[in-house]
Amino acid sequence: MRVKQEKRTRPHGGGRLSFSMNRKPVLAYSMTDEKETELAGSVLRRLRVMMDEDHVNMVTLRQKYFRPKYRVGKWQADYNMRLCRRRKLRKQKERFEEAWSQWLRTTGRSIGLLEPIPFNGPKLGSYMTEELDKATEVEETMKALPTQQEMRMNKKYRMRGWKQYLPEDIFPGQWKDDEEDAVHKLFRRPLHKYPYDISKRGTNHVVRGIVF
């Protein structure tokens, strides 16, 4: 704004008059009247929607470490490239979801995909007898478990060592050696680290290995 000759503030050339303003920067205003008060969370939510979060995140990450002036531009350009890629992927996802919902509303509805499927109970519900149903109740199961006093007094609940955690298949007498498909008849060393002997043709060299 140019001023007249008699109102100039500088001796050489026309200057600009300074504006005295007392207006505070506000990004989100309250939508209610003076008599009613709006919740602070509602104002903050609207403020977050109006705020450019990507720019704020960029400034926060940029100020995290010191960079020379010639590197700030490169870093900011790389950040903008990554930001554009995220926006592009987000738009592609939104377009795909919109097309899918549109297909469901038209073709899917004609096929019958939007019709509800009635649930009449499990298909194997007829095999569940009353005895099995009662046995699976929580109260009956808790009654069958030993109490804390029984676990302290009875020695069978105080077993020590790793023997109680071993499966039954590894104990003696569990292998079926009489059958034709017994593991001891199929392999020479069934429990060995290298159950196969692979020899090289024309030599006596034997390579032991595992075939997967």
Side-chain angles (χ1 to χ4, degrees), residues 80-94:
N80 292 333
M81 294 292 289
R82 292 193 300 269
L83 180 62
C84 292
R85 183 177 181 274
R86 286 197 299 265
R87 288 176 179 174
K88 180 181 177 181
L89 294 176
R90 192 187 310 120
K91 290 180 180 178
Q92 290 179 355
K93 183 180 178 181
E94 292 175 357

Side-chain angles (χ1 to χ4, degrees), residues 19-37:
F19 292 93
S20 60
M21 299 178 63
N22 195 19
R23 185 181 300 171
K24 306 299 181 183
V26 178
L27 296 180
Y29 295 92
S30 178
M31 295 296 187
T32 56
D33 301 332
E34 297 180 358
K35 299 180 180 179
E36 302 178 1
T37 12

